[in-house]
Amino acid sequence: MPTAIEEFLRAYSPVTMAREVANETQINGCTFKAGEMVLLSFPAANRDPEMFADADKVIIDRKENRHAAFGLGIHRCVGSNLARLEMTVAVEEFLKRIPEFRLTGPVTWSEGSVRGPRKLPLTFA
Ligand code: HEM
């Protein structure tokens, strides 16, 4: 379960943040001017093939998984361990009540800086 939860966080990273540039700087040849906004796409970082083997595959027993779903650095999510606990309880309780299920149609997702599935058509016995 712990590796599956980390993999769901990596593969479906729900949160993207932004920052305002304080001082002009260059990263990889790209200039960032003071006052500009920069999107920190943690979801894209988490699918970086240089960081993760088979980055687009959801591998629930992935051994190495240094994902950035909770951000990086000084503003890293303070609720990360509560979030992990909540996810674990939710998945465990779902599987207890609905052990057999399958997708019956396309999943649709919300857009924006906090995202998640909006339609998840399932069938179960
Ligand atoms: C799956 C659930 C969650 C995800 C994916 C998530 C993700 C994130 C991300 C990406 C950041 C921004 C990091 C940055 O700006 O560098 C953040 C910040 C934060 N999160 Fe979460 N979070 C989750 C749940 C929670 C929960 C349950 C709490 C509190 C009970 C929480 C409290 C916070 C707070 C207070 C910050 C701001 C920290 C700061 O600016 O110093 N988060 N979170």
Side-chain angles (χ1 to χ4, degrees):
M1 187 59 77
T3 59
I5 296 300
E6 292 311 309
E7 183 65 344
F8 298 149
L9 283 162
R10 183 194 70 83
Y12 303 109
S13 314
V15 179
T16 292
M17 287 282 171
R19 294 282 191 277
E20 185 177 342
V21 178
N23 300 307
E24 183 168 324
T25 189
Q26 285 219 344
I27 301 174
N28 287 341
C30 189
T31 304
F32 296 84
K33 295 202 174 100
E36 286 180 345
M37 296 302 290
V38 178
L39 211 54
L40 309 178
S41 186
F42 302 124
N46 283 343
R47 298 277 184 136
D48 181 351
E50 287 183 17
M51 280 297 293
F52 301 98
D54 290 320
D56 281 334
K57 281 195 187 149
V58 176
I59 301 170
I60 60 172
D61 61 349
R62 192 182 282 277
K63 300 289 175 289
E64 274 215 14
N65 198 347
R66 298 188 64 202
H67 64 73
F70 292 117
L72 301 161
I74 195 167
H75 288 290
R76 191 186 172 285
C77 179
V78 290
S80 59
N81 285 333
L82 176 61
R84 287 183 166 115
L85 180 67
E86 290 176 339
M87 287 177 69
T88 304
V89 170
V91 173
E92 283 177 353
E93 292 304 311
F94 180 93
L95 290 175
K96 250 189 247 167
R97 294 181 68 163
I98 308 174
E100 299 276 338
F101 61 94
R102 63 186 169 81
L103 267 184
T104 55
V107 179
T108 60
W109 295 81
S110 64
E111 292 170 3
S113 62
V114 178
R115 67 183 194 114
R118 283 295 167 266
K119 281 194 187 146
L120 186 63
L122 296 180
T123 186
F124 48 89

